[in-house]
Amino acid sequence: MMKLRANNALTGWLMVSPLALVLLAFLVAPIVMISIVSFWRATEFSIIPDFVWENYEFLFGSSVTYRVFFNTFKYALITWAFTFAIGFTVAYYLAFHIRSMTWQVALFLLCTIPFWTSNIIRMISWIPFLGRNGIANSALMSWGVIDEPVEWLLFSDFAVILAFVHLYTLFMVVPIFNTMMRIDKSLIEAARDGGANGAQILWNVILPLTKPGIMIGTIFVTTLVMGDFITVRFMSGSQSANVGRLISNDIALLQYPSASATAIVLLLTVLIVIGILLRFVDIRKEL
Amino acid sequence: MEPRPRSFYVLTVFFVVFLLFLYGPTITIGILSFQGEGGGLTFPMRGVSMYWFKDLFEQQAVGDIWGSFRRSLVLGLMVMVTTVVVSVMGGLAFRKRFPGSGILFYLIITSLVIPSILISLGVGLLFSQSGLDVHWSTSGFGAQLTWTLPFGLLIMFAVFNRFDRSYEEAARDLGASPWQTIRHVVLPIIAPSLIGVALFGFTLSYDEFARTLLTAGSYNTLPLEIYGMTTNVTSPVLYALGTLTTVFSLLIIAVFLCLALLSNRRKAKSGSDAGNGML
């Protein structure tokens, strides 16, 4: 028995060794490297091995940091609210209102296809809509809603949130749809027989049973938004900042130690948020 | 069939609007890439022409588009094959608990949720400090794997959670070796899902930029090239390039979906011999 167990462990390790190697070399080692470099010093041209706290002191001593972190949370929260509302509605429609399996699969695929195309292109594709002479402005002017072009459509927080919702709603739809499909339909019939109306069924039966899917979607959306640095830069025309941009600006200036310190703080923040969210769901059970 | 409730029609409208929101912008730049020669980044169209596509094939002033496309293609295939192989092995291993499997599972989740810029920065620093050159086929390749592997593994976990163990037991009872069981029983059954993993591996790599940004070295991949273009190109040539890569992605997706459909059908046809008793 002992021998069998040892044998099992050995085959297990052999099978996962490529995976473990990749994760060690390209996930664990880089994180370790960043935490080491976050204690180094930097001149304008080079970085010098050292053990100083000045990168963190500077980070926590600057009011910019708090503003930028606040902004990051703001983006995450607003994006979450929209992606959840839209994603839940779409998943609910697909799971409970589409009756044939073939249509369900087809419409679901239609929702997921954009996920496999380029994010940058999908960001660029908002330019003709939101620009000063774009479709949105022309339409609003021809309807007489506004007299002159609205300036805040492109290159603003509005554009940033719009792009986030556009890019990431899928990450809500997929896990929520997945959990909804596993809800036993007889539960809903039982609720209806018990006299519940549609809204009551939705609120008291479907919503609680969909919680794991909602949590997984929430984890995806919040981490993607909190770690982002390109969408914010591109859609705000470099006028707004989040933590990711703070890091990428430091990198552009070759200030790697300071970038590393910010990156470590960002990583810890994200992990804390996820740690809280994981208390509500057991991922291994949901696969 | 019971009649549709009124909410069905409201939700259908919502769903259609959602699809418009999802696809509208992409379709718009698709149309605008056929903008006439004097046209700009937005409507109105000044004539219809292939001018910007031709521009894409001729001028090389904006950078090395075709070189970067070739690199992205090769890298995508490398990542795809690696993702499929490593995910299947990982999926098989995770069916049994082994010491360290819990930690490894959390590493996979971390790999998925870690802000991409940390991978970019960390791998970049690691390579530069140990005197190695960053290159798309080494550091870029590894950095992209941290993004594609979690998806591949999560799919494999989901597949094996629904996998009927009795097929394997039957094979073993008939005297198949562990390798024969995997080769002739397990792999054929999970083949359609492997096509899904391959699709994720290729497309996620082909479109990846955040993790490749500081790890690709001096030779750009296509998304990096496009990202660079957004800052200095302000003509519809950007849309033409966007349209071409999107069409390419759609073709790839269509090919994979057809493959999945075919292999599902083949499985359905050869899977059961009920009613075909030897008479």
Side-chain angles (χ1 to χ4, degrees), chain A residues 13 93 97 110 116 120 230, chain B residues 4 12 23 99 207 209 227:
Chain A
W13 283 335
Y93 174 72
H97 282 276
L110 208 55
W116 291 312
I120 303 191
I230 291 165
Chain B
R4 300 276 193 188
T12 306
Y23 286 92
D207 298 325
F209 57 60
Y227 180 59

Side-chain angles (χ1 to χ4, degrees), chain A:
Chain A
M1 195 62 207
M2 278 299 277
K3 199 176 160 205
L4 189 68
R5 191 173 295 159
N7 216 347
N8 261 343
L10 196 66
T11 24
W13 283 335
L14 275 178
M15 301 268 267
V16 293
S17 56
L19 171 67
L21 278 180
V22 170
L23 290 180
L24 272 183
F26 292 98
L27 179 72
V28 179
I31 295 176
V32 172
M33 189 71 202
I34 293 175
S35 20
I36 294 173
V37 172
S38 72
F39 293 103
W40 289 11
R41 277 181 306 127
T43 67
E44 266 171 60
F45 319 101
S46 63
I47 50 178
I48 306 153
D50 204 337
F51 187 81
V52 290
W53 287 92
E54 62 182 36
N55 300 310
Y56 289 100
E57 275 162 22
F58 182 78
L59 189 65
F60 287 108
S62 155
S63 67
V64 175
T65 312
Y66 299 98
R67 259 209 319 278
V68 166
F69 265 91
F70 174 76
N71 231 2
T72 308
F73 278 110
K74 186 184 79 184
Y75 285 141
L77 201 68
I78 300 175
T79 309
W80 175 81
F82 278 104
T83 51
F84 168 61
I86 299 171
F88 187 89
T89 316
V90 168
Y92 173 74
Y93 174 72
L94 290 179
F96 293 106
H97 282 276
I98 303 294
R99 286 166 179 173
S100 96
M101 184 76 180
T102 320
W103 272 102
Q104 254 174 352
V105 173
L107 293 179
F108 178 72
L109 274 178
L110 208 55
C111 290
T112 44
I113 284 172
F115 169 70
W116 291 312
T117 64
S118 165
N119 276 4
I120 303 191
I121 305 288
R122 292 173 70 201
M123 277 182 233
I124 292 171
S125 62
W126 280 107
I127 296 176
F129 262 92
L130 301 178
R132 196 169 189 284
N133 303 310
I135 296 168
N137 268 326
S138 327
L140 289 175
M141 286 207 306
S142 69
W143 294 337
V145 181
I146 49 172
D147 296 326
E148 52 189 77
V150 185
E151 299 283 353
W152 52 261
L153 287 177
L154 191 59
F155 303 143
S156 61
D157 278 355
F158 168 77
V160 174
I161 302 275
L162 185 75
F164 276 142
V165 174
H166 185 227
L167 294 176
Y168 299 143
T169 301
L170 243 43
F171 286 90
M172 277 289 187
V173 176
V174 174
I176 295 180
F177 176 73
N178 186 36
T179 355
M180 279 181 175
M181 288 301 279
R182 282 194 273 162
I183 294 178
D184 190 348
K185 294 281 188 294
S186 55
L187 289 175
I188 290 156
E189 269 166 44
R192 192 169 295 137
D193 292 345
N197 63 27
Q200 282 171 326
I201 293 175
L202 185 65
W203 184 256
N204 294 315
V205 181
I206 296 175
L207 194 65
L209 289 174
T210 317
K211 215 176 78 183
I214 297 173
M215 282 303 153
I216 293 176
T218 304
I219 291 175
F220 267 118
V221 171
T222 41
T223 52
L224 282 167
V225 173
M226 286 183 73
D228 172 88
F229 63 103
I230 291 165
T231 314
V232 174
R233 186 191 136 173
F234 189 78
M235 296 308 284
S236 78
S238 297
Q239 291 178 45
S240 306
N242 67 345
V243 184
R245 277 208 63 206
L246 207 60
I247 300 171
S248 73
N249 284 349
D250 274 343
I251 293 173
L253 297 169
L254 303 181
Q255 298 298 307
Y256 294 116
S258 141
S260 301
T262 317
I264 291 296
V265 176
L266 174 64
L267 179 63
L268 291 178
T269 318
V270 169
L271 290 183
I272 289 170
V273 171
I274 300 200
I276 295 170
L277 291 173
L278 279 182
R279 299 195 76 99
F280 299 102
V281 55
D282 178 3
I283 296 192
R284 287 192 90 152
K285 229 176 62 194
E286 293 309 322
L287 291 167

Side-chain angles (χ1 to χ4, degrees), chain B residues 97-115:
Chain B
R97 290 205 177 239
F98 53 91
S101 64
I103 295 176
L104 202 58
F105 180 78
Y106 280 104
L107 273 184
I108 295 166
I109 300 296
T110 312
S111 187
L112 188 65
V113 300
I114 189 172

